[in-house]
Structures are given as structure tokens and as C-alpha cells.
Amino acid sequence: ILGVRDIHADHAASHIGKAQGIITCLRATPYHCTRRKVFLPMDICMLHGVSQEDFIRGKQEKNVRDVIYDIASQAHIHLEHVR
């Protein structure tokens, strides 16, 4: 956007964008759940034995928190790549 032509800057911007997208999805989860929609990766949910209904009902059990932690960890990994 500023005319920067550098592959390293492009790579860093890509990882920042991915991290921001993941975090935006996590932050919007309570809002979407009130509308009975869950946009979290089902493979991670299934890994922890969590269903979409668990999110929609607002459960805060350890396995639900583990799903959120795993997804947030992916955003953190992208930020580490940027550093």
C-alpha cells in the first residue's frame, strides 16, 4: 500500500493478516453463537470432544476452553513467524 516492494515485508504482512483473521473469528464467536452459528474449525472441536451446541449453549468447560486455546495458539504461531 505504501509502495514497499519487499518479499520479507509481504511474508510478514501475510502472517499478521492470518493472525488477525483468527483472532477476529475468536472474538466474534460469542456474537455468532447467539445466532446459532459456529465458525470454528470442527477438526479442532472434534479433537477435544466439543460440539457446535456446546458453544451455542455457552458452555465454559475445560474442553471448550482448550479449543479456544488451540485456535488462539495458531494466531500466536503466526505472530512468532513475523518476529
Side-chain angles (χ1 to χ4, degrees):
I1 195 166
L2 296 173
V4 175
R5 303 263 187 242
D6 179 43
I7 191 142
H8 299 294
D10 290 346
H11 190 75
S14 173
H15 282 290
I16 289 171
K18 290 172 187 172
Q20 181 63 44
I22 292 168
I23 295 305
T24 299
C25 182
L26 285 176
R27 291 180 63 203
T29 296
Y31 169 81
H32 290 297
C33 287
T34 62
R35 281 140 185 87
R36 302 194 55 77
K37 301 201 183 283
V38 178
F39 297 108
L40 300 176
M42 284 296 106
D43 57 333
I44 295 175
C45 292
M46 289 181 355
L47 180 69
H48 293 285
V50 176
S51 69
Q52 289 182 344
E53 276 299 314
D54 292 333
F55 282 100
I56 291 169
R57 291 182 183 148
K59 291 188 177 180
Q60 296 186 10
E61 297 168 355
K62 184 182 181 318
N63 57 347
V64 173
R65 291 191 311 267
D66 288 343
V67 169
I68 299 300
Y69 181 84
D70 281 358
I71 296 170
S73 294
Q74 292 300 312
H76 181 74
I77 289 168
H78 285 292
L79 291 178
E80 287 298 315
H81 285 299
V82 173
R83 289 186 187 123

